[in-house]
Every structure is written in C-alpha cells, then in structure tokens.
Amino acid sequence: MNKKQNEVLQFLLSFKTATEEQLIKLTNCSIQDINYLLTNKLILKDKNTNLIYHKLRGLDVKFMVALDVICKYRLDLQNYSKAKFPVIITFMIENITYDVIVAKAIEQNRIFEILDDISSSDRIILVIENKEEYDISKIKTNRECLICTYPLKIIGKVN
C-alpha cells in the first residue's frame, strides 16, 4: 500500500462514507488508488448507491452529504474535521467556523429546536431530508443558518 492509498483509508476511517469523486477531490488520490483498496477489500463499495466506505466503519450517507458541502467550498477551506454528532463536519473559511448538520426527516424538528445546544460554530449549514416538513419558524438560533436540501440547494436562511 502506498502513501496515497493509506491516506484514503485514514480519510474513510474518519469520514466513513464518500463518493469516488469526493475521495479524489479531498485526498488527491487516483482512481487506481481507490481500485487497489477495493480489490484488496480494505474499503467497500455499496452496490446500490456506489458509495465507498471503510469496512470497519460501515455505510453512513450523512457523511457523504456533508462531504459534498466540503467539496463545494474546498478551494477556500482553511481546515475541516469530523465533529461530534449530530454535527457531521466543522470547517473554517476566513476564520469563520461552520458546522454542517445533516438531518433525516424523523430528526429534523428536534434538531431545529436545539441548534444552539448542539452547535458552537459561528454559522450553521443544515441539510434536511424533507422540505415538506420544513417550517422556518421552528428553527431556534441567533446565528446565521443556511437550510439546504440534497442534492445541495439552498431553500432558506435564518438571520
């Protein structure tokens, strides 16, 4: 295993699940590096979604969604890291911290109510599963919060 392949493996240990494109963008690896890891069964590819994940960590679509946000801002990033659930990833741009939260439909309303308890960043990017259940008046925070659906599309903003 070479250095890049090891980097991909370590990346997936932290961030659980990614697409091939995300791995290539965020680790600067090649498709050959990914294929080597897949062939040697160090990482796995889900047959239904084509998502790649570490065999010890399992498949978690929330990480793939949050990594899409990181890919979108990757050229401006100062740094990013895995965060404490329900925040998936924290990142920094121009010394402003952002928390990325991915909320499934069943947990949306609860997360809306406790945003200030679960996030300590300057700003929040909230990706929700069900925009039909989305009620902006339920979002309780004094910080700037972007509300998005997936594939990433901004549907609202608070503050």
Side-chain angles (χ1 to χ4, degrees), residues 85-142:
F85 181 82
V87 177
I88 306 295
I89 295 176
T90 297
F91 66 94
M92 184 180 285
I93 297 175
E94 296 178 1
N95 295 320
I96 298 171
T97 58
Y98 296 81
D99 280 343
V100 180
I101 301 171
V102 180
K104 291 188 175 185
I106 195 166
E107 55 195 11
Q108 262 177 219
N109 288 331
R110 178 74 179 132
I111 286 175
F112 291 169
E113 295 168 5
I114 61 170
L115 275 177
D116 284 339
D117 296 331
I118 60 176
S119 170
S120 58
S121 66
D122 299 316
R123 298 180 182 161
I124 301 167
I125 298 174
L126 181 58
V127 184
I128 60 172
E129 182 178 49
N130 187 343
K131 70 179 183 182
E132 283 73 36
E133 295 288 317
Y134 161 65
D135 179 354
I136 199 164
S137 68
K138 291 183 179 178
I139 296 177
K140 308 291 185 222
T141 185
N142 293 325

Side-chain angles (χ1 to χ4, degrees), residues 4-151:
K4 269 298 164 200
Q5 293 159 354
N6 188 47
E7 194 178 319
V8 171
L9 207 53
Q10 296 307 312
F11 182 88
L12 286 172
L13 267 173
S14 289
F15 296 103
K16 294 186 182 179
T17 305
T19 64
E20 278 181 7
E21 182 180 315
Q22 289 170 340
L23 287 173
I24 291 167
K25 282 181 181 177
L26 297 172
T27 67
N28 293 317
C29 71
S30 68
I31 193 71
Q32 290 80 12
D33 292 324
I34 295 169
N35 287 336
Y36 172 86
L37 294 167
L38 286 167
T39 301
N40 288 289
K41 301 204 182 321
L42 297 167
I43 60 175
L44 303 171
K45 185 184 243 185
D46 183 73
K47 287 181 170 67
N48 297 325
T49 61
N50 282 331
L51 295 176
I52 297 171
Y53 59 98
H54 194 287
K55 68 179 184 179
L56 298 177
R57 303 288 281 158
L59 185 70
D60 190 337
V61 175
K62 285 184 176 187
F63 279 87
M64 181 275 303
V65 172
L67 287 172
D68 254 9
V69 174
I70 296 303
C71 285
K72 186 170 181 65
Y73 294 107
R74 83 178 195 286
L75 299 177
D76 298 318
L77 288 176
Q78 287 171 269
N79 63 47
Y80 65 95
S81 62
K82 182 178 178 260
K84 188 177 177 208
F85 181 82
V87 177
I88 306 295
I89 295 176
T90 297
F91 66 94
M92 184 180 285
I93 297 175
E94 296 178 1
N95 295 320
I96 298 171
T97 58
Y98 296 81
D99 280 343
V100 180
I101 301 171
V102 180
K104 291 188 175 185
I106 195 166
E107 55 195 11
Q108 262 177 219
N109 288 331
R110 178 74 179 132
I111 286 175
F112 291 169
E113 295 168 5
I114 61 170
L115 275 177
D116 284 339
D117 296 331
I118 60 176
S119 170
S120 58
S121 66
D122 299 316
R123 298 180 182 161
I124 301 167
I125 298 174
L126 181 58
V127 184
I128 60 172
E129 182 178 49
N130 187 343
K131 70 179 183 182
E132 283 73 36
E133 295 288 317
Y134 161 65
D135 179 354
I136 199 164
S137 68
K138 291 183 179 178
I139 296 177
K140 308 291 185 222
T141 185
N142 293 325
R143 290 175 282 155
E144 188 175 307
C145 180
L146 281 181
I147 300 91
C148 308
T149 55
Y150 191 83

